[in-house]
Amino acid sequence: MTQAQQDIERGVMNKVAWRILPFVTLGYFLASLDRVNIAFAALQMKSDIALSDAAFGFGAGLFFIAYCIFAVPANMLLERFGPVRWLALTMVSWGLVSSCMAAVSGPYSFYILRFLLGVTEAGFFPGVIYYLTLWFPSGHRSRAVAILMIALPLSSVLGSPLSAMLLLLDGWFGMRGWHWLFIIEGSPAIFLGIAALWVLPHSVSRASFLTEGDKTWLSGQVEKVPTEKTRASFSDIWKLFCNKYVLALTLIYIGGTSVTNGLSLWQPQIISTFNLTTMQIGFLNSIPFAFASVAMYFWSSHSDKTGERVMHLAIPLAVGAVALTSIIFVNALIPTIIILCIAISAASMIKGPFWALATEMIPARNTAMAIALINALNNLGVFAGTYLIGIIKGHTGSFTYALIPYLAISVVACSLTLWLGHRRQASPRIR
């Protein structure tokens, strides 16, 4: 590639990145915040509405069951109505449901609203991943996804102290702190969803911030949008569901997301066992996710720079498994925080390389459906892990052994990554 070509590429991708990534990353930040803010709300809410550990784990996990059920249908609608309009609708919908969590009055209303939150949010993340494939060529995709995924740890870095402070509003206008937490943290998604219709460009050809030369270059680099004739059917979905490589990719992804999602929901309660104040819990909870934000970006950038994906998945999964094994043998605050930093950072580091690998392996016409399917099946694993923590904690009275399910899936995911890397040498794309 000549210097002139490199300059064109750099200029176009900088324009695209600055226009799209801040907005969708903010959206994903709010999605993650509204998904996991029950972790702090639970410090007050569990006693108010009589939630046991098992009931909390089940209700928290119902989000992922709904997500699993509705992710694929949501993305069929995404292809029909267009990603921008669909993403706007999902943001407004989940913002309303998240705000309504303030009205929870018992276990059943908790279950219902958590399930509805999963329904309304199901189309957002796979929709954004699909949207990014329309704007970012393969060589830029891992970094783009990594920037998006930074929203996950950042939602805990910034959201933890924010949620802790909102709990201190307890008694304000006759409402509990956790009521204010849901109302204040849920409502911004509504306004962002409305703004999406004007901020996010609908297609390369309609992007007013690009010159005609920019549009020509970018259109030649990204894969074509599936047309009506090539949209995935239910037959395509079934073939993907039965494909061993898609299932392997799903289990690999579970190895990372089960750890990050599970600890996002349970970590404040783990830290609270050391008899700390609400604000101390808030700040300590943010530390592992701060490390994860930095590690995720640099690891994904290195993956893009080298073009290597497999070992960029296997190494963090192995490190995470070691960290999760170590936590069984510690019972002091500082070692626990250090191990949580390693475990969450390792699990977060796989996400950029994973989606880069997945979108490189999946045929273009099935990209949206495969992303939705992987994300949907992944959420079954996240639900199982979240619920198991509650059951194990309820039976043992401590979190010492509650993270063992995450250790097991990390080992499985690492092994499957190495197997997939070996098989990929013979067949670069899923057939």
Side-chain angles (χ1 to χ4, degrees), residues 4 37 67-68 91 124 145 192 213-214 231 268 285 331 353 358-359:
N37 56 12
Y67 207 112
C68 174
M91 284 189 273
F124 185 74
V145 173
L192 195 70
D214 293 340
R231 278 195 188 122
N285 188 70
N331 55 11
T359 53

Side-chain angles (χ1 to χ4, degrees), residues 23 65 68 81 103 119 141 156 159 198 220 230 299 310 322 362 364 422:
F23 193 90
I65 292 292
C68 174
F81 296 108
V119 172
R141 204 167 292 161
S156 293
W198 287 272
T230 59
W299 191 250
V310 173
V322 173
I362 297 165
H422 176 73

